[in-house]
């Protein structure tokens, strides 16, 4: 027998021993089920929350939940940045008044919500690279009395875009009503994203571009090329060629009543993880996940080894280097990077063809123009007429020489490169929720439909029920065609 044959024989023996060890560990733990969650953002924390909640409601055997986070803090893409002593949202910043999961989180955790009126942007304008083609009046900063400024601005917007605005509202409201079905008690457990979208009659919106959807809804070319394009560039860094459902979700974020958590949205993730009584592993990056017998072996980059009956991946796999054994197969998708630049200083009005900073809107949106240097600039905080905090979204990094042209004064600058969301392109294809046919789940599969804090929560809630329905002896036994147990308490009594 040669050296290569002996080496292969020892590898086989080592593998058999490891499987026996895993099976022994499983027997010594009794009925306890360990769930390992990769990622502590809103998806991972929501999964931990719903697993704990539903397992207790259905009297499941004791469940041990471990959450692994490669960063030193929880929250994932719900991060904060400190600029000249003030903290601002660097990632997901606004939530919709009908985001019922996240609303419930704030009530459950005793967090204070800050509505859009608490930090309202008084004025916005659309810039085409040479001039402002549209601007609203700022409340209290013009000859128009502040009390009637919103009314005057509404007339201005309607004068420019006409009846198409009402058609856009109807289009968005129709899709919102379908999305709200995911909070109904009668919702099934979904094994695939396609199945989940078809049930709510949303799947068709992922097959076409937003532009095609809006043209079919009767919106005018001016509204689509101006206001809708500005909203897409701000929320997703893309244009109206974005897939329809993601675009519609982006339009929802342009309405009234938007809110955030005072002190930072990351507190939702932190509170849910704490309340779920999990074992939290910060600064621990997962290197590999291997199926061995009936358990998964999770290896971290620092050499730690963990064994779990269930693994939940709650981070996008597109730019994460995790070695899966056996390999998994998911559709290739490109991640859109949004470059966020925070500046404490003052905009240069000359760059925008104006004579004074008082003429500049608090929110500057831009049209889809080739090689445009930024998507939007917004005022985060107004310290004085010569000192403000700004947030800039762009598709490429903002170089110093460019910033020196846009700003007449810069006291501090912070740059962040976000692997923010998928690059949406119709027709969308989706990774499965169940990656291997055993107990390996993927929350971020839903992101190809739309990427928000609430859609991640909806996906995580479904996966929590899917896990509990598939565990051996699980009481939450609901097939794909069956509906939830109507005896369970309503998830959202307001519905």
């Amino acid at each position: 027998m040669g050296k290569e044959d002996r080496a292969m024989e020892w590898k086989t023996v080592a593998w058999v021993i490891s499987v026996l060890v895993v099976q022994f560990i499983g027997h010594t733990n009794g009925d306890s089920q360990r769930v390992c969650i990769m990622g502590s953002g809103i998806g991972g924390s929501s999964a931990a929350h719903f697993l704990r909640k539903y397992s207790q409601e259905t009297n499941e055997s004791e469940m041990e939940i471990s959450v692994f986070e490669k960063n030193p803090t929880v929250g994932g893409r719900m991060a904060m940045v400190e600029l000249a002593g003030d903290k601002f949202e660097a990632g997901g910043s606004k939530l919709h008044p009908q985001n019922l999961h996240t609303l419930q989180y704030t009530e459950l955790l005793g967090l204070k919500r800050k509505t859009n009126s608490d930090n309202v942007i008084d004025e916005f304008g659309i810039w085409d690279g040479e001039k402002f083609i549209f601007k609203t009046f700022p409340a209290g900063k013009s000859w128009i009395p502040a009390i009637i400024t919103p009314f005057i601005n509404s007339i201005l917007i309607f004068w420019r875009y006409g009846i198409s605005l009402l058609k856009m509202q109807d289009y968005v409201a129709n899709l919102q009503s379908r999305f709200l079905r995911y909070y109904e008690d009668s919702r099934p457990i979904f094994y695939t994203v396609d199945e989940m979208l078809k049930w709510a009659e949303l799947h068709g919106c992922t097959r076409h571009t937003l532009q095609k959807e809006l043209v079919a809804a009767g919106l005018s070319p001016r509204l689509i090329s101006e206001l809708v394009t500005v909203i897409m560039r701000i929320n997703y860094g893309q244009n109206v060629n974005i897939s329809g459902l993601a675009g519609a979700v982006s339009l929802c974020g342009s309405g009234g009543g938007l809110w955030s958590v005072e002190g930072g949205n990351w507190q939702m993730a932190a509170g849910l993880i704490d309340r779920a009584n999990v074992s939290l592993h910060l600064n621990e990056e997962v290197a590999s996940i291997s199926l061995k017998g009936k358990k998964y072996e999770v290896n971290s980059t620092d050499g730690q080894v963990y064994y779990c009956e269930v693994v939940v991946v709650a981070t996008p796999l597109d730019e994460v280097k995790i070695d899966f054994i056996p390999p998994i197969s998911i559709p290739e998708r490109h991640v859109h990077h949004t470059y966020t630049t925070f500046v404490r200083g003052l905009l240069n009005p000359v760059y925008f063809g104006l004579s004074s900073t008082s003429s500049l809107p608090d929110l500057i949106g831009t049209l889809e123009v080739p090689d445009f240097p930024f998507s939007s600039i917004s005022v985060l905080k107004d310290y004085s007429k010569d000192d403000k905090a700004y947030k800039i979204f762009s598709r490429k990094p903002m170089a110093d020489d460019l910033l020196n042209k846009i700003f007449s004064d810069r006291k501090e600058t912070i740059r962040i490169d976000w692997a923010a969301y998928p690059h949406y392109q119709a027709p969308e294809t989706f990774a499965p929720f169940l990656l291997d046919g055993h107990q390996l789940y993927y929350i971020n599969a839903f992101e190809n439909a739309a990427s928000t804090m609430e859609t991640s929560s909806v996906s995580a809630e479904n996966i929590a029920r899917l896990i509990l329905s598939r565990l051996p002896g699980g009481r939450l036994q609901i097939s794909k065609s069956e509906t939830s147990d109507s005896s369970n308490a309503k998830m959202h009594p307001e519905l």
Side-chain angles (χ1 to χ4, degrees):
M1 180 181 293
K3 291 183 179 179
E4 291 184 0
D5 293 333
R6 286 195 294 270
M8 182 63 68
E9 184 178 275
W10 278 111
K11 286 182 180 180
T12 303
V13 172
W15 181 84
V16 171
I17 292 174
S18 68
V19 170
L20 292 174
V21 169
V22 170
Q23 292 176 343
F24 174 77
I25 293 173
H27 288 303
T28 58
N29 283 344
D31 293 330
S32 176
Q33 302 283 346
R34 186 175 193 181
V35 180
C36 292
I37 300 174
M38 312 300 144
S40 70
I42 194 66
S45 58
S46 294
H49 163 70
F50 286 116
L51 281 169
R52 182 67 69 205
K53 179 178 185 290
Y54 294 155
S55 63
Q56 291 175 344
E57 287 178 357
T58 55
N59 296 318
E60 289 290 336
S61 57
E62 182 64 26
M63 179 174 288
E64 181 182 352
I65 303 174
S66 298
V67 175
F68 297 85
E69 172 57 55
K70 67 179 181 180
N71 296 309
T73 57
V74 302
R77 285 171 280 182
M78 298 185 299
M80 303 288 286
V81 63
E82 185 170 335
L83 180 71
D86 284 316
K87 290 185 177 181
F88 302 102
E89 295 282 359
S93 58
K94 297 296 181 183
L95 293 125
H96 192 272
Q98 288 184 310
N99 286 169
L100 300 187
H101 282 321
T102 47
L103 279 171
Q104 189 183 61
Y105 296 163
T106 61
E107 295 170 1
L108 183 70
L109 302 171
L111 299 174
K112 184 177 179 181
R113 295 193 294 269
K114 179 172 61 176
T115 61
N116 207 38
S117 59
D118 296 332
N119 188 25
V120 68
I121 291 177
D122 294 325
E123 181 186 9
F124 81 91
I126 301 175
W127 195 51
D128 67 359
E130 297 180 356
K131 63 185 181 302
F132 284 99
I133 63 171
F134 179 78
K135 279 203 313 179
T136 60
F137 288 103
K141 299 179 184 178
S142 67
W143 56 271
I144 302 175
I147 193 171
I148 66 169
T149 301
F151 176 71
I152 298 297
N153 285 335
S154 296
I155 294 176
L156 282 175
I157 295 172
F158 192 80
W159 183 266
R160 186 167 185 85
Y161 300 113
I163 198 73
S164 280
L165 283 171
L166 302 180
K167 293 179 179 179
M168 184 176 76
Q169 290 175 357
D170 288 342
Y171 173 79
V172 171
N174 179 269
L175 288 178
Q176 283 179 346
S177 66
R178 295 186 225 171
F179 187 84
L180 287 172
R181 294 187 64 190
Y182 292 130
Y183 307 108
E184 294 176 358
D185 284 345
S186 59
R187 69 201 182 285
I189 291 175
F190 304 101
Y191 280 66
T192 68
V193 179
D194 293 275
E195 178 188 6
M196 190 170 182
L197 293 171
K198 288 175 181 177
W199 178 81
E201 300 180 74
L202 293 170
H203 189 263
C205 300
T206 68
R207 316 311 293 163
H208 311 113
T209 66
L210 177 65
Q211 179 160 359
K212 184 174 181 178
E213 292 272 318
L214 295 183
V215 168
L219 274 67
S220 69
R222 169 178 276 187
L223 179 59
I224 295 173
S225 65
E226 292 183 6
L227 191 58
V228 173
T229 295
V230 166
I231 294 169
M232 295 306 113
R233 286 171 64 86
I234 293 174
N235 289 339
Y236 278 133
Q238 295 165 58
N239 56 35
V240 291
N241 290 321
I242 193 172
S243 54
L245 182 57
V249 168
S250 179
L251 289 176
C252 292
S254 66
L258 301 181
W259 59 276
S260 58
V261 176
E262 189 171 294
N265 294 329
W266 65 272
Q267 296 172 96
M268 290 188 290
L272 292 176
I273 287 173
D274 183 60
R275 187 180 177 86
N277 190 28
V278 309
S279 174
L280 179 61
H281 303 263
L282 295 175
N283 291 306
E284 192 149 11
E285 185 174 2
V286 173
S288 66
I289 300 172
S290 306
L291 178 62
K292 296 190 173 182
K294 295 183 178 180
K295 285 183 178 285
Y296 293 90
E297 180 182 280
V298 176
N299 291 270
S300 69
T301 54
D302 63 0
Q304 299 297 314
V305 181
Y306 306 89
Y307 294 98
C308 321
E309 282 78 14
V310 178
V311 172
V312 179
V313 179
T315 187
L317 288 174
D318 313 279
E319 296 187 358
V320 174
K321 296 180 180 178
I322 298 179
D323 188 19
F324 291 92
I325 305 171
I328 61 170
S329 177
I330 59 175
E332 181 182 0
R333 69 181 183 187
H334 299 289
V335 175
H336 182 90
H337 281 249
T338 290
Y339 296 88
T340 308
T341 306
F342 295 85
V343 175
R344 176 81 180 263
L346 190 67
L347 282 175
N348 180 8
V350 176
Y351 181 85
F352 298 94
L354 300 174
S355 57
S356 67
T357 54
S358 61
S359 301
L360 287 168
D362 289 341
L363 171 61
I364 301 173
T366 57
L367 300 181
E368 189 65 25
V369 178
D371 299 321
F372 215 85
F374 60 87
S375 299
S376 65
I377 301 177
S378 59
V379 175
L380 295 174
K381 189 171 182 178
D382 193 336
Y383 298 97
S384 70
K385 65 185 181 70
D386 298 324
D387 186 15
K388 306 176 192 293
Y390 299 91
K391 185 177 186 178
I392 308 170
F393 287 143
S394 61
R395 294 174 180 172
K396 296 179 180 179
M398 300 286 285
D400 281 332
D401 58 347
L402 175 60
L403 290 173
N404 290 336
K405 295 177 182 177
I406 297 175
F407 289 87
S408 59
D409 178 44
R410 280 196 297 141
K411 296 180 176 66
E412 185 175 351
T413 303
I414 296 175
R415 295 176 174 88
I416 297 176
D417 174 7
W418 282 110
Y421 21 69
H423 184 83
Y424 293 102
Q425 188 173 359
E428 297 287 359
T429 56
F430 304 97
F433 285 136
L434 186 59
L435 291 175
D436 67 350
H438 296 279
Q439 296 287 353
L440 177 62
Y441 301 87
Y442 188 31
I443 289 175
N444 298 74
F446 197 86
E447 276 198 284
N448 263 42
S451 178
T452 68
M453 288 177 273
E454 186 68 13
T455 52
S456 292
S457 301
V458 168
S459 179
E461 190 274 339
N462 175 71
I463 282 182
R465 291 184 297 125
L466 180 59
I467 290 170
L468 292 172
S469 72
R470 297 184 71 251
L471 284 176
R475 294 176 181 269
L476 195 62
Q477 297 291 347
I478 306 173
S479 70
K480 289 185 284 186
S481 60
E482 294 176 315
T483 58
S484 303
D485 185 351
S486 60
S487 65
N488 288 343
K490 280 185 177 291
M491 185 191 314
H492 295 286
E494 64 269 32
L495 287 180

